[in-house]
């Protein structure tokens, strides 16, 4: 399911870039596609640090 969603998103992103009016739009599409993954990585790291500090106090 996740692979199918990823493939569908990739096609959509490539289509948007192909029809982009200028380079600024391409950069925006790239940032918009990467932002959810970056947020998830930051959230995972924050949870890891929080739990590690909590276990060290005990």
């Amino acid at each position: 399911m996740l692979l199918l969603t990823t493939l569908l998103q990739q096609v959509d992103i490539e289509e948007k870039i192909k029809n982009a009016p200028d380079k600024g739009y391409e950069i925006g599409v790239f940032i918009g596609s990467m932002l959810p993954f970056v947020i998830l990585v930051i959230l995972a790291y924050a949870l890891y640090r929080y739990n590690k500090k909590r276990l060290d106090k005990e």
Side-chain angles (χ1 to χ4, degrees), residues 32-44:
S33 65
M34 295 303 292
L35 195 59
F37 298 111
V38 171
I39 290 172
L40 285 175
V41 167
I42 291 170
L43 181 63

Side-chain angles (χ1 to χ4, degrees), residues 13-54:
I13 291 170
E14 288 174 2
E15 185 70 26
K16 285 182 180 180
I17 290 176
K18 187 167 54 171
N19 297 329
D22 60 2
K23 290 288 183 186
Y25 186 81
E26 290 180 21
I27 293 169
V29 169
F30 176 73
I31 291 172
S33 65
M34 295 303 292
L35 195 59
F37 298 111
V38 171
I39 290 172
L40 285 175
V41 167
I42 291 170
L43 181 63
Y45 181 72
L47 287 171
Y48 168 77
R49 292 262 328 233
Y50 171 76
N51 285 322
K52 185 175 179 184
K53 284 184 179 183
R54 191 180 62 138

